Amino acid sequence: EIQLEESGGGSAQPGGSLRLSCKASLNIFATHCMGWFRQAPGKPREGVAAISTRGGTWTYSDSVKGRFTISRDNDEISLYLQMDSLEVEDTALYYCAARVANFCTLDEREYHYWGQGTQVTVSS
């Protein structure tokens, strides 16, 4: 069974940075698209960023484009989300997810495996 574990969440001030990590229990990166999602209190879960199996294609939501960067290290079986210029609206529980496909989307319904989430809080 594939397990995903996020880390790196915490608190930051507006304009600050955080880096999230996601470690997979199996080497699925050659066959799985990987994505980051988030859910703020009282809101539905939304796709933030996704990266293709070979890391050559990226997809970002409009709300984070230009501020967040998704990357992957296939040797380390790890996924990352570098979050810069953080805003209060970025406060949410962030999830790592895997999709059995080469083509990536930001639709949560198309992802098969999920981590437990890591909290990100942005406040002054």
Side-chain angles (χ1 to χ4, degrees), residues 26-82:
L26 300 172
N27 193 344
I28 60 174
F29 280 23
T31 55
H32 288 64
C33 171
M34 302 297 296
W36 286 101
F37 293 77
R38 68 185 182 186
Q39 186 168 23
K43 295 186 177 181
R45 187 157 56 186
E46 64 168 338
V48 174
I51 187 167
S52 63
T53 54
R54 293 178 173 80
T57 305
W58 307 266
T59 303
Y60 295 95
S61 68
D62 289 341
S63 60
V64 307
K65 198 172 296 182
R67 300 188 298 119
F68 290 10
T69 303
I70 188 171
S71 62
R72 61 195 294 163
D73 185 329
N74 288 4
D75 292 334
E76 294 294 325
I77 323 177
S78 293
L79 178 73
Y80 305 101
L81 185 68
Q82 177 66 41

Side-chain angles (χ1 to χ4, degrees), residues 1-120:
E1 181 180 347
I2 297 171
Q3 294 183 334
L4 303 172
E5 183 174 4
E6 305 93 339
S7 61
S11 298
Q13 293 186 336
S17 298
L18 285 172
R19 187 187 193 218
L20 305 184
S21 299
C22 172
K23 183 80 172 181
S25 59
L26 300 172
N27 193 344
I28 60 174
F29 280 23
T31 55
H32 288 64
C33 171
M34 302 297 296
W36 286 101
F37 293 77
R38 68 185 182 186
Q39 186 168 23
K43 295 186 177 181
R45 187 157 56 186
E46 64 168 338
V48 174
I51 187 167
S52 63
T53 54
R54 293 178 173 80
T57 305
W58 307 266
T59 303
Y60 295 95
S61 68
D62 289 341
S63 60
V64 307
K65 198 172 296 182
R67 300 188 298 119
F68 290 10
T69 303
I70 188 171
S71 62
R72 61 195 294 163
D73 185 329
N74 288 4
D75 292 334
E76 294 294 325
I77 323 177
S78 293
L79 178 73
Y80 305 101
L81 185 68
Q82 177 66 41
M83 305 186 295
D84 299 318
S85 302
L86 283 164
E87 302 172 353
V88 173
E89 292 74 22
D90 295 320
T91 296
L93 188 62
Y94 282 72
Y95 298 90
C96 167
R99 175 172 185 252
V100 184
N102 294 322
F103 179 72
C104 297
T105 76
L106 294 179
D107 186 343
E108 63 167 330
R109 296 169 297 179
E110 298 185 0
Y111 283 76
H112 306 93
Y113 305 99
W114 293 84
Q116 294 299 309
T118 184
Q119 179 67 39
V120 170

